[in-house]
Amino acid sequence: MMRAVLIALALVAGLVSADALAQPVEREAGPLPRFFPHRTTYLELDPDQRSHFRLAYRISSQTGIAVEDIRMWFERDGETILFGIDETGLITRLPDRSDLEAEPTVWINQEGGGMSLNLLFEATLPGGPQYSADDLGLALGQANHAIRRAAGVAALFAPNFKTLVFEFDGPAPTAIAVHEDGTTTPLTVQENRVMLRPRDRSMRNLVRIELGEMPRRVLLDS
């Protein structure tokens, strides 16, 4: 898990623990807000303060249960609302403000063990697979502002996001940074990821980056 995520999770009091989730099949797991730390704070931001990033939540089994076998849901106004979970464990149906304020009980299935829930910071960048330096910087700036707001007096210990991590379904493609004078710099590639630190000296006068294909997602890290 990325270091920034670990630090961010350390700031969240009461995040769902394995013990709280290690229950028999179809058991109550706790109130909805507990499963989505910082979600309310995020939704309270002005739209122009969260235009380039969002919070993502990834669920996983600590005992090897396949993602496709994990179920998580709550009931509201007589309706059972099942959380969508993609093949990587990301929750695709996130609660809105009215869901969180109602604080319904979350239910989970527990086919033999506990589950954990991790918080990720994800960039939402317009365009692609070329991205402007302005948009890249805005994603980092907005996320840093938001986490300091959520941390309150603990802001000194909050992570400082400096890195964008572009994840791909397969091996990472070619990736370059284009500078004002027309020169290019190859970006760091690690297996299925491309790393970029826009504020590094080597990225001075960055205009845009060009990736060989669209990334699956773009995560923010320290």
Side-chain angles (χ1 to χ4, degrees), residues 54 56-60 66-70 83-93 120 122 167 169 216-217:
R54 63 188 170 201
Y57 302 84
R58 177 180 285 159
I59 195 167
S60 62
V67 170
E68 58 265 26
D69 294 328
I70 296 174
F83 290 101
I85 302 173
D86 74 10
E87 64 273 15
T88 69
L90 283 182
I91 296 176
T92 58
R93 191 285 188 195
L120 304 174
E122 185 174 1
E167 292 188 349
D169 287 325
R216 179 186 185 93
R217 65 177 58 92

Side-chain angles (χ1 to χ4, degrees), residues 13 34 36 64 103 107 147 158 161:
R34 184 192 303 172
F36 296 92
E103 298 190 6
W107 292 68
I147 198 168
F161 295 116

Side-chain angles (χ1 to χ4, degrees), residues 5-16 33-39 55 57 117-119 121 147 150-151 154:
V5 176
L6 288 172
I7 298 173
L9 288 176
L11 296 172
V12 183
L15 183 62
V16 183
R34 184 192 303 172
F35 289 81
F36 296 92
H38 296 323
R39 175 76 177 157
L55 302 184
Y57 302 84
L117 193 64
N118 297 326
L119 170 64
F121 288 76
I147 198 168

